[in-house]
Amino acid sequence: MKKVAVIMGSDSDLPVVEKAIDTLKSFGVPTEVHVFSAHRTPVEAAEFTRAARDNGFGVIIAAAGMAAHLAGAIAANTTLPVIGIPCKGPNFDGMDALLSTVQMPSGIPVATVAVNGAKNAALLACQILAVEDKDLQEKLDNDRKSSADTVLSKDRTVTAKYSS
């Protein structure tokens, strides 16, 4: 199975990013985690990204807040799928990171999840890898069924309590 790289612009993004790491690991997806900044370590970020395909990666998740250019800088150096996680920072309630991540120029796509949406980033990475991995596809299908069962159980509880 291909690996997923999880890259954050700062270790202050780790509380958000851990949700992606935990989700990937729960699906048995090999994961490698790094801190690279689009602004403070642009050479290292570019070198890692350019070599990612040859190093066995299938998807890259990039998380950043504030001046959230990491996902775009990563995407500029690879044709691997890149998923951006805009992280909520101290200013603008995460809107700055969201706009920086989602406003990519034509030709350099970045899939973007919700602000702090690390779990969905991991699930999307799994879905991308599952295109060619039947076992992972089955795990995703089972996860969806389990999630639906949980909601339906809650529905029964609420309906029984509040319906007359």
Side-chain angles (χ1 to χ4, degrees), residues 90-153:
N91 304 313
F92 309 111
D93 209 32
M95 184 60 77
D96 54 334
L98 175 62
L99 294 175
S100 294
T101 306
V102 78
Q103 294 293 327
M104 292 302 301
S106 182
I108 309 294
V110 170
T112 306
V113 296
V115 173
N116 289 354
K119 182 174 182 177
N120 273 353
L123 289 170
L124 181 55
C126 289
Q127 289 176 327
I128 291 167
L129 295 178
V131 168
E132 299 211 3
D133 187 316
K134 209 120 182 90
D135 291 338
L136 187 54
Q137 177 187 347
E138 190 173 307
K139 289 177 184 178
L140 285 163
D141 289 341
N142 290 337
D143 183 66
R144 283 279 175 99
K145 183 178 179 332
S146 175
S147 180
D149 290 346
T150 299
V151 171
L152 293 173
S153 174

Side-chain angles (χ1 to χ4, degrees), residues 9-155:
S10 166
D11 66 350
S12 66
D13 300 321
L14 193 54
V16 170
V17 171
E18 282 179 325
K19 292 176 183 83
I21 297 164
D22 293 345
T23 300
L24 290 165
K25 290 186 177 195
S26 76
F27 281 95
V29 175
T31 307
E32 195 171 301
V33 183
H34 294 278
V35 177
F36 292 129
S37 167
H39 303 103
R40 294 169 292 201
T41 59
V43 172
E44 293 82 356
E47 287 173 352
F48 176 86
T49 304
R50 288 185 191 121
R53 185 182 304 275
D54 289 338
N55 288 329
F57 292 94
V59 179
I60 300 173
I61 295 173
M66 296 175 55
H69 300 291
L70 183 60
I74 298 278
N77 287 292
T78 187
T79 56
L80 287 173
V82 175
I83 303 167
I85 305 171
C87 296
K88 187 175 182 177
N91 304 313
F92 309 111
D93 209 32
M95 184 60 77
D96 54 334
L98 175 62
L99 294 175
S100 294
T101 306
V102 78
Q103 294 293 327
M104 292 302 301
S106 182
I108 309 294
V110 170
T112 306
V113 296
V115 173
N116 289 354
K119 182 174 182 177
N120 273 353
L123 289 170
L124 181 55
C126 289
Q127 289 176 327
I128 291 167
L129 295 178
V131 168
E132 299 211 3
D133 187 316
K134 209 120 182 90
D135 291 338
L136 187 54
Q137 177 187 347
E138 190 173 307
K139 289 177 184 178
L140 285 163
D141 289 341
N142 290 337
D143 183 66
R144 283 279 175 99
K145 183 178 179 332
S146 175
S147 180
D149 290 346
T150 299
V151 171
L152 293 173
S153 174
K154 291 177 182 183
D155 171 63

